[in-house]
Amino acid sequence: MASMNLLALDTSTESCSAALLCGDDLLERSELAPRRHAELILPMIDSLLAEAGLSRRRLDGIAVGRGPGAFTGVRLAISVAQGLALGLDIPVVPVSSLAALAQDVPVSEGNILAVIDARMGEVYAGTFRRGAHGLVEALYEETVGRAEKLILPQSKQWSIIGSGWDAYRDTLAARLPGPPRWADGSRFPQAHAIARLAQPQLAAGRGVSPEYALPVYLRDKVALTLEEQRAR
């Protein structure tokens, strides 16, 4: 595990990021650039490898944000990861973008709610707790739905992270038992967190063949019909 070279990428939201984990050394690139992910992601990868003095052939695996998030962004990251891994004959470790978001919460106590603005009045939501070695573990299945209908497990302390908090702050606050211990609605999933979460999975041989690295959308449509909009 100490000598493992792991490339990670995430383009599931407005942020485009890539990270390279070489043993315990982490390099990363990140830019808030909606609609420019396809232009940025490959140069980011090449820049990281050049800085580390590493060729693609020395990579042991690729970690990728599998979603949920923007349909085109999730598809892009999965496609890039699959293409690179197929050419190099190395495994892929898909990681929840919500888990990556939760991993960046700086508080260790209590539970974590990671929420991404899903548009159409909805949020992608995942609940987590801090587990072994400081890595987050999911409490329940991830969901997509209206913020006012979000059901949270019982907990006295919550930390909240993600764009869903800025978009639906008052509505989400009403679902909590009290004020959040910590909250930041300006954060997006980042590749450095994808790498940290994927590292033990890859070391344990839990990577998958590239063709089995699949996106997770949680819903199958990107817009509401006029009738659905009126019903809301």
Side-chain angles (χ1 to χ4, degrees), residues 124-142:
Y124 298 115
T127 53
F128 302 87
R129 66 184 173 193
R130 197 72 64 177
H133 308 293
L135 302 179
V136 295
E137 301 171 344
L139 293 173
Y140 293 96
E141 290 187 2
E142 296 171 356

Side-chain angles (χ1 to χ4, degrees), residues 202-221:
L202 184 62
R206 299 195 188 103
V208 300
S209 298
E211 63 269 27
Y212 294 109
L214 302 175
V216 172
Y217 297 122
L218 293 186
R219 71 179 179 199
D220 57 6
K221 65 196 310 182

Side-chain angles (χ1 to χ4, degrees), residues 54-192:
L54 205 67
S55 70
R56 291 185 181 184
R57 287 288 171 190
R58 290 182 59 193
L59 291 173
D60 296 297
I62 298 176
V64 60
R66 70 183 186 197
F71 281 41
T72 54
V74 172
R75 283 198 300 268
L76 173 64
I78 291 290
S79 296
V80 171
Q82 287 177 330
L84 291 172
L86 277 169
L88 298 170
D89 193 25
I90 56 176
V92 178
V93 183
V95 174
S96 162
S97 298
L98 286 167
L101 193 54
Q103 184 64 29
D104 275 345
V105 169
V107 178
S108 58
E109 297 82 10
N111 290 343
I112 299 168
L113 171 63
V115 278
I116 297 173
D117 184 6
R119 310 293 191 258
M120 298 195 294
E122 296 182 335
V123 293
Y124 298 115
T127 53
F128 302 87
R129 66 184 173 193
R130 197 72 64 177
H133 308 293
L135 302 179
V136 295
E137 301 171 344
L139 293 173
Y140 293 96
E141 290 187 2
E142 296 171 356
T143 63
V144 60
R146 296 188 66 78
E148 64 267 23
K149 295 183 179 180
L150 180 65
I151 299 175
L152 295 175
Q154 292 295 319
S155 176
K156 292 182 179 180
Q157 294 183 337
W158 285 95
S159 294
I160 305 179
I161 190 169
S163 58
W165 178 245
D166 270 1
Y168 306 103
R169 185 184 305 255
D170 292 342
T171 303
L172 290 172
R175 311 301 295 169
L176 301 175
R181 181 185 181 93
W182 179 94
D184 189 341
S186 66
R187 304 283 192 98
F188 297 98
Q190 296 295 320
H192 66 250

